[in-house]
Amino acid sequence: ERMVSPAVLNQIDPDSLQIGGQQRDLTILFADIRGFTTFSEQQTPAGLVAVLNRYLAAGAEAVLAQEGTVDKFLGDAVMAWFNAPLPQPDHTLRAVRAALALKAAVEALHAELPPEGHLSFGVGIHYGEAVLGWIGTEKRLEYTAIGDCVNTAKRIQENAAKGQILISREAYEQVKESVEARPYAPLHVKGKAEPVEVFELIGVK
């Protein structure tokens, strides 16, 4: 219930999700708050958590509205995927729409928060194959995705500026007829011998 939207939850049998992994094509989305460390130094712990949760909630709601799955929160970041546990033929487009919705939600938050609380997300989206399933031990299991696809999405996100959405060429090829995007400088990222080709997402057609 915490990870998937009601529309998805109503269609799956949790008992059918077996321990272990399976290969699956996914679209991975990472969104990380820019400037959060500097902001946190100026806040009380209670005030910091209150603001952080509003931004993370905006991220989660944008994902769930597109029937994506919120994998986890990592500090001031959100990791999500699309095309699981149920197949979604348009899963990359759903990720794109979620990213754009998040950007709009952040602008709405800015209208409600004081200027010092005006933060923004940098977003990275990648399409590829990952291992998906219940990972861990009997004492602590997580339904999660692992693999190079996930790592690449995270690296792309790390190179996105505040308010910017970067998508890999692999993701772009899935949605190029439906989105407006412009080529961006190839990224030289940790763990990759070759530069990662990316596009800056402008909007949907």
Side-chain angles (χ1 to χ4, degrees), residues 93-105:
L93 187 57
R94 288 173 184 259
V96 163
R97 286 175 175 154
L100 292 169
L102 172 56
K103 191 172 182 178

Side-chain angles (χ1 to χ4, degrees), residues 76-160:
D76 58 342
V78 180
M79 173 186 167
W81 71 68
F82 297 79
N83 202 35
L86 296 177
Q88 297 166 322
D90 59 344
H91 57 96
T92 305
L93 187 57
R94 288 173 184 259
V96 163
R97 286 175 175 154
L100 292 169
L102 172 56
K103 191 172 182 178
V106 166
E107 291 173 359
L109 272 178
H110 288 179
E112 301 174 13
L113 295 172
E116 63 270 18
H118 290 189
L119 305 173
S120 295
F121 282 94
V123 181
I125 296 173
H126 181 51
Y127 167 91
E129 192 174 67
V131 176
L132 179 71
W134 292 102
I135 309 296
T137 71
E138 290 183 358
K139 291 183 179 179
R140 180 170 175 81
L141 281 172
E142 285 190 344
Y143 186 61
T144 190
I146 58 174
D148 182 64
C149 170
V150 177
N151 298 336
T152 300
K154 187 172 189 299
R155 298 301 183 202
I156 292 172
Q157 170 267 122
E158 290 169 354
N159 285 272

Side-chain angles (χ1 to χ4, degrees), residues 1-5 9 60 64 68-73 141:
E1 289 177 344
R2 291 194 301 268
M3 294 171 62
V4 303
S5 70
L9 188 66
L64 296 177
T69 300
V70 177
D71 180 295
K72 60 176 70 76
F73 299 109
L141 281 172

Side-chain angles (χ1 to χ4, degrees), residues 34-57:
R34 297 293 180 257
F36 185 74
T37 302
T38 302
F39 173 73
S40 66
E41 293 172 349
Q42 306 162 358
Q43 303 298 312
T44 64
L48 181 65
V49 170
V51 172
L52 174 62
N53 282 344
R54 294 194 70 177
Y55 280 94
L56 294 181

